[in-house]
């Protein structure tokens, strides 16, 4: 699957182990898990390959306050107890978000994913 990064900072974090370790306060395990998740996305043929893996805990995000999260999904980086997650958005062939974004209907055709951010769920 093709990966599009929201910002240069997110790309650096997802492609440089050194940068990931620094971001996670020296936690090498979480940095390696992040890179494993990004590699899993890159190796997948379609989004369905990711959705069906229970270990990744792929789940939709819900709106919080003023932040609109419709069409965004999260992948746990190092399991359910780890606060870090990868925020992704399925994109169409023009690299635009699907509207509406019903993952059950589009998972078989999504071949491009946008990585929006690496976030701490509790911040």
């Amino acid at each position: 699957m093709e990966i599009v990064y929201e910002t240069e900072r997110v790309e650096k974090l997802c492609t440089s182990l050194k940068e990931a370790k620094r971001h996670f306060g020296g936690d090498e395990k979480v940095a390696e898990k992040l890179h494993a998740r990004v590699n899993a996305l890159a190796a997948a043929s379609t989004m369905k390959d990711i959705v069906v893996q229970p270990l990744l805990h792929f789940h939709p995000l819900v709106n919080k306050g003023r932040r609109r999260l419709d069409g965004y999904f999260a992948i746990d980086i190092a399991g359910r107890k780890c606060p870090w997650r990868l925020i992704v958005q399925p994109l169409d062939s023009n690299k635009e978000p699907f509207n509406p974004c019903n993952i059950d209907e589009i998972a078989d055709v999504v071949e491009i994913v946008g990585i929006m951010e690496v976030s701490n769920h509790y911040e």
Side-chain angles (χ1 to χ4, degrees):
M1 189 158 30
E2 181 181 348
I3 297 175
V4 176
Y5 297 95
E6 178 76 12
T7 65
E8 218 174 280
R9 171 85 176 114
V10 171
E11 182 174 8
K12 197 171 189 181
L13 187 60
C14 293
T15 57
S16 167
L17 192 56
K18 181 179 177 182
E19 190 65 30
K21 283 183 204 175
R22 186 180 349 211
H23 182 77
F24 296 121
D27 191 337
E28 191 169 337
K29 179 186 171 194
V30 176
E32 288 173 354
K33 292 279 189 177
L34 169 64
H35 285 257
R37 299 303 185 245
V38 172
N39 289 339
L41 283 169
S45 300
T46 64
M47 185 63 84
K48 186 169 185 173
D49 296 339
I50 300 300
V51 172
V52 298
Q53 292 185 38
L55 181 65
L56 300 179
H57 194 255
F58 181 89
H59 58 282
L61 296 177
V62 294
N63 295 333
K64 268 191 167 177
R66 295 182 198 169
R67 191 162 182 205
R68 296 283 157 232
L69 299 169
D70 293 329
Y72 290 92
F73 299 86
I75 297 172
D76 292 341
I77 291 178
R80 295 294 301 143
K81 294 186 180 188
C82 177
W84 293 100
R85 60 189 184 172
L86 195 60
I87 308 299
V88 299
Q89 183 177 38
L91 302 174
D92 63 18
S93 58
N94 297 323
K95 297 183 181 174
E96 295 293 327
F98 282 88
N99 192 9
C101 186
N102 184 345
I103 199 66
D104 295 330
E105 295 174 6
I106 64 172
D108 287 336
V109 298
V110 176
E111 295 178 348
I112 304 171
V113 65
I115 296 181
M116 302 301 126
E117 66 181 85
V118 176
S119 72
N120 186 329
H121 176 64
Y122 299 110
E123 287 183 351

